[in-house]
């Protein structure tokens, strides 16, 4: 076969695979070899999908909800999405101001693909979710990475935002609570960013609120279009059922925003995947309209795990971890490990070396922070039971104590 026949789209050829899934693949390989790995790398709740949601899916199958739906989603679900945005976020929207997609990731990709042209820039605060820069690149844009260090709480400041905006800026992506740090923007912090954005009317805002309900210590959640309604006409507010309702595999994300943008995203989706799964849409409808006990219970469980992980990680030689305000990730500095050598003889020159050594020698899987745009850190997903988290931290501590 000639090399020419294997030629790829140039943007795809330049894209990198997800660092998280690369680690997950390595975990699968090690497990296939018989190793007992504790995986702290996957960003999904370990709880089962609530019973009433599963029952709604079974009912959908048994009553014929198994056919194509409208590209933008069935009206009943879009009405429930609009009601959610009104009830929980104070956004004055109707079902016509919504779009349902095949997961939150497709919402983001559709928005970027529908709006970016060559030379357009997207401001991406780092640490960032690994897919943001790759999506921007695949859609023909350029990421303008703004590093947000621990001394700012891993959050974008108005001064840093002002410095990053150029005439070519098309989007700002803002993720709160954050993957990978768990950072949460307060109302005052969002208002300060909003003042900068009001002075730059050419910038669109993508508010990734997928971890909205996983926020701790009785803090209130705020989203940008709620804090500053004058930005609503150029803000896409994205959410979904995957994290709040333990429905990662059901693949339902949704958004609200200006209709011109939603219509463009719907056009793209119509030629790309069509509508989301009809069965999953019925399950998502039950999640949004049903009881919310599961959210309260899972939030309490994650807060307890957060406290446990922060305590154990800070007791580990060479690691430091601030307490995250939301999501289910601990973003721990491993600067104290860099330059040392593991008991297995691996030189730890980077946080990626640390992550691979932990997997190979301690049978614990984490993701290196540099994959999220900031090292030397490791991201630990504490979406496991307490016993497994204790065991993982013991293994990490033993690994760190044996370094030379």
């Amino acid at each position: 076969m000639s090399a020419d026949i294997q030629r790829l789209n140039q943007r795809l050829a330049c894209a990198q695979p997800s660092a998280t899934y690369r680690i997950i693949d390595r975990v699968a390989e090690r497990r296939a070899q018989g190793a007992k790995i504790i995986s702290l790398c996957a960003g999904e709740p370990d709880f089962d999908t609530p019973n009433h949601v599963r029952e709604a899916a079974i009912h959908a199958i048994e009553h014929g909800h198994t056919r194509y739906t409208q590209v933008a989603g069935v009206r009943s679900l879009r009405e429930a999405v609009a009601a959610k945005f009104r009830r929980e976020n104070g956004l004055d929207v109707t079902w016509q101001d919504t779009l349902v997609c095949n997961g939150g990731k497709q919402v983001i990709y559709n928005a970027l693909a529908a709006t970016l042209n060559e030379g357009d820039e997207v401001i991406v605060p780092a640490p960032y979710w690994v897919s943001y820069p790759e999506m921007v690149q695949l859609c023909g844009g350029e990421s303008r990475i703004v590093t947000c260090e621990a001394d700012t709480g891993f959050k974008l400041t108005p001064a840093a935002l002002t410095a990053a905006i150029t005439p070519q800026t098309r989007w700002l992506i803002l993720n709160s609570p954050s993957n990978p740090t768990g950072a949460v923007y307060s109302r005052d912090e969002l208002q300060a960013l909003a003042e900068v954005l009001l002075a730059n009317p050419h910038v669109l805002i993508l508010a990734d609120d997928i971890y909205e309900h996983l926020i701790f210590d009785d803090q209130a959640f705020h989203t940008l279009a709620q804090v500053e309604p004058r930005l609503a006409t150029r803000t896409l507010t994205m959410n979904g059922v995957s994290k709040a309702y333990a429905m990662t595999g059901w693949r339902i994300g949704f958004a609200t925003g200006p209709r011109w943008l939603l219509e463009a995203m719907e056009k793209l989706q119509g030629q790309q995947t069509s509508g989301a799964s009809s069965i999953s849409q019925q399950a998502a409808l039950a999640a949004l309209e049903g009881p919310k006990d599961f959210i309260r219970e899972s939030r309490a469980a994650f807060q307890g795990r957060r406290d446990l992980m922060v305590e154990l990680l800070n007791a580990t030689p060479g690691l430091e971890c601030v307490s995250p305000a939301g999501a289910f990730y601990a973003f721990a500095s491993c600067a104290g490990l860099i330059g040392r050598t593991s008991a297995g003889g691996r030189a730890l020159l980077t946080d990626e070396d640390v992550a691979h050594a932990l997997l190979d020698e301690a049978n614990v899987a984490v993701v290196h922070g540099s994959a999220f745009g900031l090292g030397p850190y490791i991201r630990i997903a504490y979406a496991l039971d307490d016993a497994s988290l204790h065991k993982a931290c013991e293994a990490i501590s033993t690994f760190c104590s044996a370094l030379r």
Side-chain angles (χ1 to χ4, degrees):
M1 183 181 294
S2 71
D4 186 66
I5 202 71
Q6 300 181 48
R7 186 174 68 251
L8 297 176
N9 173 278
Q10 292 181 354
R11 294 173 186 165
L12 180 62
C14 293
Q16 297 298 315
S18 166
T20 303
Y21 280 104
R22 287 206 305 268
I23 297 293
I24 290 172
D25 288 344
R26 285 211 60 213
V27 170
E29 291 172 5
R30 292 291 316 284
R31 285 174 171 166
Q33 296 165 0
K36 295 183 178 180
I37 307 297
I38 301 176
S39 179
L40 304 177
C41 56
E44 66 177 348
D46 59 318
F47 306 113
D48 290 331
T49 303
N51 283 333
H52 70 280
V53 175
R54 286 181 279 167
E55 289 168 0
I58 294 170
H59 183 274
I61 293 170
E62 292 177 339
H63 290 78
H65 296 287
T66 56
R67 306 195 182 275
Y68 291 133
T69 73
Q70 298 95 320
V71 170
V74 297
R75 177 165 173 172
S76 57
L77 177 55
R78 294 176 70 189
E79 287 177 339
V81 167
K84 172 262 181 294
F85 282 127
R86 292 193 301 269
R87 178 180 67 250
E88 297 179 350
N89 306 117
L91 303 181
D92 184 18
V93 300
T94 71
W95 70 272
Q96 295 167 304
D97 303 305
T98 66
L99 178 69
V100 176
C101 297
N102 295 275
K105 183 177 284 190
Q106 190 182 34
V107 174
I108 300 168
Y109 191 94
N110 283 357
L112 297 175
T115 57
L116 290 180
N117 290 295
E118 296 294 335
D120 286 343
E121 296 177 351
V122 178
I123 296 174
V124 181
Y128 47 71
W129 179 45
V130 293
S131 291
Y132 292 149
E134 302 304 326
M135 288 183 178
V136 170
Q137 193 272 139
L138 284 168
C139 294
E142 299 176 11
S143 293
R144 191 168 179 85
I145 306 299
V146 181
T147 302
C148 306
E149 300 281 0
D151 59 2
T152 67
F154 302 114
K155 289 183 276 190
L156 183 67
T157 65
L161 175 58
T162 300
I165 293 175
T166 73
Q168 288 73 47
T169 303
R170 185 67 168 143
W171 284 95
L172 162 67
I173 298 179
L174 202 62
N175 177 211
S176 175
S178 160
N179 174 7
T181 67
V184 175
Y185 286 84
S186 69
R187 172 180 281 275
D188 289 345
E189 289 169 334
L190 289 174
Q191 186 63 61
L193 295 176
E195 297 301 324
V196 176
L197 293 164
L198 287 169
N200 291 275
H202 65 293
V203 180
L204 296 165
I205 305 102
L206 199 162
D208 181 349
D209 297 349
I210 197 70
Y211 294 96
E212 170 187 2
H213 289 295
L214 293 174
I215 187 168
F216 308 136
D217 305 315
D218 297 321
Q219 292 187 73
F221 174 78
H222 303 285
T223 194
L224 194 61
Q226 171 192 32
V227 170
E228 181 45 82
R230 287 177 291 176
L231 291 176
T233 56
R234 51 190 169 106
T235 300
L236 183 71
T237 303
M238 188 281 288
N239 215 307
V241 296
S242 61
K243 313 299 182 179
Y245 298 95
M247 293 176 66
T248 51
W250 299 78
R251 309 312 303 135
I252 295 291
F254 48 75
T256 188
R259 288 193 187 179
W260 68 265
L261 176 58
L262 297 176
E263 289 169 0
M265 294 167 63
E266 181 182 356
K267 181 194 294 185
L268 176 63
Q269 185 164 304
Q271 300 297 345
Q272 180 191 56
T273 62
S274 298
S277 160
S278 60
I279 299 162
S280 294
Q281 289 190 59
Q282 294 300 317
L285 176 61
L288 292 177
E289 293 188 336
K292 300 297 183 285
D293 294 349
F294 177 83
I295 291 177
R296 291 189 292 271
E297 292 166 1
S298 62
R299 181 193 300 123
F302 280 124
Q303 180 169 325
R305 294 174 181 181
R306 184 274 310 262
D307 295 341
L308 172 66
M309 289 302 298
V310 169
E311 178 183 355
L312 294 177
L313 290 171
N314 282 323
T316 300
L319 298 182
E320 293 183 7
C321 184
V322 298
S323 184
F328 40 68
Y329 306 107
F331 201 61
S333 170
C334 60
L337 310 182
I338 303 303
R340 304 181 70 183
T341 302
S342 73
R346 183 190 290 266
L348 305 181
L349 304 180
T350 67
D351 54 5
E352 186 171 5
D353 293 330
V354 172
H356 285 298
L358 282 171
L359 178 55
D360 292 334
E361 300 179 33
N363 289 338
V364 177
V366 302
V367 186
H368 46 291
S370 54
F372 303 91
L374 187 65
Y377 286 85
I378 53 175
R379 190 200 73 169
I380 297 168
Y382 47 85
L384 288 177
D385 60 275
D386 287 4
S388 296
L389 295 178
H390 269 287
K391 187 174 181 180
C393 286
E394 288 173 3
I396 293 172
S397 181
T398 298
F399 170 87
C400 292
S401 298
L403 297 179
R404 305 192 298 273

